Amino acid sequence: MRKPLAPAGVEPDKDVSFRALRVFAEIMRTGSATAAGKQLSLSQPAVSRLIAQLEAQVGFDLFYRDRGKLVPTADGTKLIQEVELSLSSLDRFNSLVRDIAGYSAGTVRIVAPPSFAEGVLPDIVSRFRERFPGVEFSIDSRSVETARTMIAMRYVDCGFVKLPTDESDLAIEQIVSSGSVCVMRGDHPLAGRGAITPSDIGRHPLILLGAGRHWRTQVDAAFAAFGLRPTVAIETHTHGSACALAARGNGMAILNELLVKPYLHHPLVARPFDPPIEHEYAFAVSNVSRPSRLTLEFQKEVRAYFAEKML
């Protein structure tokens, strides 16, 4: 007794493969077993054998011979549409597998603090897409606290967090550390100094980031060591806005040396802030599950980028 046809989209038993279905579809398309064999690089006996196996599997004839030609039966004609859909689905599946294996497809979802996303991340993403142009990116800019939560809950694939941070549900790798600089117009009274201390700044108006955050605590502590309090003229949240305000003469900004580089254009200059305040960033993923191959490849790009920058 012949076995029934396997459900559409499910690979048939081992004795009849998708190869037989391809032969069947090609004969239906070309109208000739000989032409189908040439198209698929199969001999005539191989074509006949595969069709016979397929007919044995489905339990009915797919063709009958009329004066030496193969003519589809009514059952064969009904079957061809389903076969073509199955083969098309398999082709799409195989194509996607090849793309994913070669990093030619997929999406990397990233979250980072705003200044990091604006100042550093574009270079890293651009480098990665030069190697894998088919990969898509989704970049979200959030506060350090929100970014950490999004990574831990796997709303994103990976992200960048500023240290120190709670590492209980994150797998982190420190990737870069940088100092702090004072950014001001070239005609600022302190622009000619080699390094600038809180004592030098005194009552000069400042543009500072992140009231209430660890970074501001460090700035306040640096001034307190000199018996001073910073004179804050403007508080803002990104390095880009701080530099734009400094360029218009609103005061001196104390900023992260790494993240400020894209914004240091005329008339701005940068001088080291002394005592040094270090900024450390880490690449982070959730420790709940292993990152995707694409995320791990992007992590390699991040390492390479900062290794070159630190030389």
Side-chain angles (χ1 to χ4, degrees):
M1 182 176 179
R2 292 182 174 182
K3 300 177 185 178
L5 178 64
V10 179
E11 186 171 357
D13 292 345
K14 293 180 180 179
D15 57 332
V16 175
S17 66
F18 269 90
R19 195 178 189 191
L21 295 179
R22 289 194 184 280
V23 169
F24 169 61
E26 196 63 28
I27 293 174
M28 294 292 284
R29 188 182 71 84
T30 63
S32 164
T34 301
K38 288 181 179 179
Q39 187 67 28
L40 298 173
S41 300
L42 293 172
S43 66
Q44 180 68 39
V47 169
S48 299
R49 182 174 64 255
L50 287 167
I51 290 299
Q53 289 174 349
L54 183 57
E55 288 179 329
Q57 181 73 22
V58 300
F60 50 80
D61 292 333
L62 301 172
F63 301 96
Y64 65 89
R65 288 194 172 274
D66 183 13
R67 288 171 286 185
K69 294 184 178 180
L70 286 180
V71 179
T73 64
D75 291 332
T77 301
K78 290 178 183 178
L79 187 63
I80 185 58
Q81 184 176 5
E82 188 68 30
V83 170
E84 287 177 340
L85 286 172
S86 296
L87 292 174
S88 178
S89 296
L90 180 64
D91 287 340
R92 287 195 299 272
F93 172 78
N94 287 334
S95 178
L96 180 59
V97 167
R98 287 192 297 269
D99 286 345
I100 293 174
Y103 304 106
S104 299
T107 301
V108 181
R109 300 167 300 163
I110 308 171
V111 65
S115 292
F116 196 99
E118 295 172 8
V120 176
L121 199 50
D123 284 342
I124 303 173
V125 169
S126 297
R127 282 169 50 125
F128 190 82
R129 294 195 74 252
E130 286 178 4
R131 296 169 55 208
F132 308 113
V135 174
E136 298 177 0
F137 279 85
S138 173
I139 301 173
D140 206 341
S141 300
R142 299 297 181 97
S143 68
V144 173
E145 295 79 10
T146 302
R148 186 198 160 284
T149 300
M150 291 177 69
I151 299 165
M153 298 298 292
R154 294 187 293 170
Y155 296 136
V156 293
D157 299 306
C158 59
F160 298 87
V161 295
K162 192 172 184 181
L163 300 176
T165 187
D166 178 10
E167 302 176 20
S168 59
D169 46 9
L170 297 179
I172 70 170
E173 176 187 354
Q174 182 181 339
I175 53 169
V176 65
S177 177
S178 69
S180 300
V181 292
C182 298
V183 177
M184 70 212 90
R185 288 177 58 94
D187 57 4
H188 190 282
L190 301 179
R193 295 179 179 268
I196 297 175
T197 68
S199 179
D200 298 325
I201 296 172
R203 302 294 297 175
H204 285 289
L206 292 172
I207 303 165
L208 295 181
L209 304 182
R213 295 181 183 174
H214 181 64
W215 154 243
R216 275 295 292 277
T217 301
Q218 291 176 293
V219 172
D220 291 344
F223 276 79
F226 286 80
L228 300 169
R229 293 181 62 185
T231 302
V232 183
I234 301 175
E235 289 185 342
T236 186
H237 296 285
T238 69
H239 285 63
S241 63
C243 288
L245 290 163
R248 289 162 176 77
N250 289 286
M252 172 193 296
I254 304 176
L255 300 169
N256 182 319
E257 182 180 12
L258 172 70
L259 301 186
V260 80
K261 289 179 180 179
Y263 310 107
L264 287 179
H265 307 297
H266 180 78
L268 294 177
V269 296
R271 302 291 181 259
F273 180 70
D274 188 22
I277 299 178
E278 293 296 313
H279 304 263
E280 296 181 335
Y281 286 89
F283 182 90
V285 296
S286 172
N287 65 8
V288 174
S289 61
R290 179 177 171 80
S292 68
R293 294 173 63 252
L294 198 55
T295 301
L296 292 173
E297 191 65 27
F298 180 68
Q299 185 176 10
K300 291 180 184 177
E301 187 69 58
V302 171
R303 290 192 198 109
Y305 174 83
F306 285 111
E308 292 175 14
K309 290 296 180 182
M310 295 301 105
L311 290 178

